[in-house]
Amino acid sequence: MPAQRASHTAAKPGPSAPAANPQIQLLPASAEGALDAAEEAVDLLLESGRAPGDVLVITTGEQHPWAAHELSFGESAYWAQHDAGDDVFYADASAVGRAAPRPVVVVAVNGGTEALAAQTLPQALGRARALLIVCGDPQKINALLGAGV
């Protein structure tokens, strides 16, 4: 069962701010297993009736294979799929700032530096409207979540 935490920060004011803070779920996984855990989370979300366009997946380490494949067709085609908003979208942590908010954001802490994860988690929380799922090392994530997310 995933660990759940209430968010400790208020949403930033503005037209895209959610009505309430999103729920946070932690799925324990090693850095090597974080991407698989994120995939399982996405599968469960879709099986439970969540629309594919409701889900954004962010990786802190190696890109998701879907993102790498789609980027091979160029940035314009890749971001056009994001803008269409009708399918699960996979992005690297460096692109979080460009990603539009979605009801569910899944973060795979599958590598990268601790500083990158510390920067990515608050941004991901800012993009999540209902639920943030974080897949990775529980001790590291709890330390980062307690440090300002």
Side-chain angles (χ1 to χ4, degrees), residues 27-129:
L27 297 179
S30 65
E32 297 79 23
L35 197 54
D36 288 337
E39 281 296 312
E40 289 177 25
V42 170
D43 289 345
L44 288 172
L45 288 164
L46 299 177
E47 289 171 10
S48 70
R50 183 65 73 172
D54 285 355
V55 182
L56 169 65
V57 179
I58 300 164
T59 57
T60 63
E62 187 175 320
Q63 283 185 330
H64 187 279
W66 180 92
H69 173 75
E70 292 303 318
L71 280 165
S72 72
F73 299 106
E75 289 268 334
S76 295
Y78 173 74
W79 286 104
Q81 290 186 359
H82 167 270
D83 296 341
D86 55 5
D87 204 354
V88 176
F89 189 77
Y90 297 85
D92 181 79
S94 65
V96 173
R98 185 170 174 185
R102 294 208 178 184
V104 180
V105 177
V106 179
V107 179
V109 183
N110 64 329
T113 64
E114 192 165 312
L116 178 63
Q119 176 184 348
T120 301
L121 289 175
Q123 289 180 318
L125 182 62
R127 298 294 183 271
R129 293 297 170 246

